[in-house]
């Protein structure tokens, strides 16, 4: 069995697409995912499965959510080792002056459309920073993610792919949960 992390896009946000995590856990157990655990209400799941590849797992989870709750939700799935690599490649970790509470990562469903990279970078404030790495966007938002113009919706529109964003604490908590499974 491999350990995976699933990130759901757009559930329990602003009162939309409400799903209780215990209900989500039950649905995922019914589709034969093992050791299913959730973290906070925004659609973060750690589970085990023999099934591969990740895209099949994404479709399986997305279809199960649609069948049970009638929500069309993008689901991004990562192996534990992939999330570890993402965490370790954060470009701001080595800079002592950066506070990790201002780190965010936007996970992209597909490789981004590079045509609009300059327009995305131009949208950041003077204090903010942004870095692209394959299907991940690292954000440093010292005025808080709630104030940035580099929102999940903006990135989706400009990069022409589905995305879901998590703060650094959530990412590290999910990785710690996944590491306990191994």
């Amino acid at each position: 069995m491999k350990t995976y992390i699933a990130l759901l896009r757009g559930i329990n946000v602003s009162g939309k697409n409400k799903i209780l995590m215990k209900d989500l856990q039950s649905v995922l157990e019914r589709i034969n995912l093992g050791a299913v655990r959730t973290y906070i209400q925004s659609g973060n799941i750690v589970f085990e499965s023999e099934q591969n590849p990740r895209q099949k797992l994404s479709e399986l989870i997305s279809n199960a959510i649609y069948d049970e709750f009638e929500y069309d939700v993008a689901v991004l799935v990562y192996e534990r080792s992939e999330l570890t690599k993402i965490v370790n490649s954060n470009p701001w970790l080595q800079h002592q002056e950066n506070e990790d509470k201002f780190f965010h990562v936007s996970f992209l469903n597909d490789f981004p459309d590079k045509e609009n990279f300059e327009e995305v970078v131009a949208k950041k404030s003077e204090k903010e920073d942004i870095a692209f790495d394959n299907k991940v966007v690292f954000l440093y938002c010292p005025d808080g993610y709630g104030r940035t113009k580099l929102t999940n919706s903006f990135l989706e529109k400009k990069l022409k792919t589905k995305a879901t964003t998590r703060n650094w604490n959530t990412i590290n908590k999910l990785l710690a949960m996944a590491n306990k499974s191994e």
Side-chain angles (χ1 to χ4, degrees), residues 59-78:
E59 291 169 10
L60 181 69
I61 295 168
S62 184
N63 290 339
I65 291 170
Y66 186 81
D67 290 346
E68 182 72 22
F69 305 105
E70 297 183 355
Y71 298 146
D72 187 14
V73 175
V75 178
L76 285 79
V77 175
Y78 296 87

Side-chain angles (χ1 to χ4, degrees), residues 42-138:
S42 58
N44 304 292
I45 308 155
V46 176
F47 65 94
E48 293 177 3
S49 178
E50 290 179 9
Q51 187 162 357
N52 225 349
R54 295 179 302 121
Q55 185 58 34
K56 293 281 187 203
L57 287 166
S58 293
E59 291 169 10
L60 181 69
I61 295 168
S62 184
N63 290 339
I65 291 170
Y66 186 81
D67 290 346
E68 182 72 22
F69 305 105
E70 297 183 355
Y71 298 146
D72 187 14
V73 175
V75 178
L76 285 79
V77 175
Y78 296 87
E79 289 183 26
R80 182 186 58 82
S81 61
E82 292 172 305
L83 191 60
T84 300
K85 184 179 176 185
I86 290 168
V87 166
N88 292 335
S89 64
N90 182 329
W92 300 294
L93 287 178
Q94 59 270 64
H95 302 291
Q96 295 282 358
E97 69 276 7
N98 291 335
E99 294 182 61
D100 61 2
K101 69 181 178 181
F102 300 124
F103 296 163
H104 291 79
V105 179
S106 293
F107 298 86
L108 308 177
N109 195 48
D110 298 300
F111 286 100
D113 183 341
K114 294 180 181 181
E115 172 183 316
N116 295 323
F117 273 15
E118 287 180 24
E119 194 174 336
V120 170
V121 172
K123 195 75 161 176
K124 72 177 187 67
S125 76
E126 190 175 307
K127 293 181 191 177
E128 294 176 330
D129 211 344
I130 186 169
F132 302 92
D133 185 12
N134 292 319
K135 292 166 50 172
V136 175
V137 179
F138 292 99

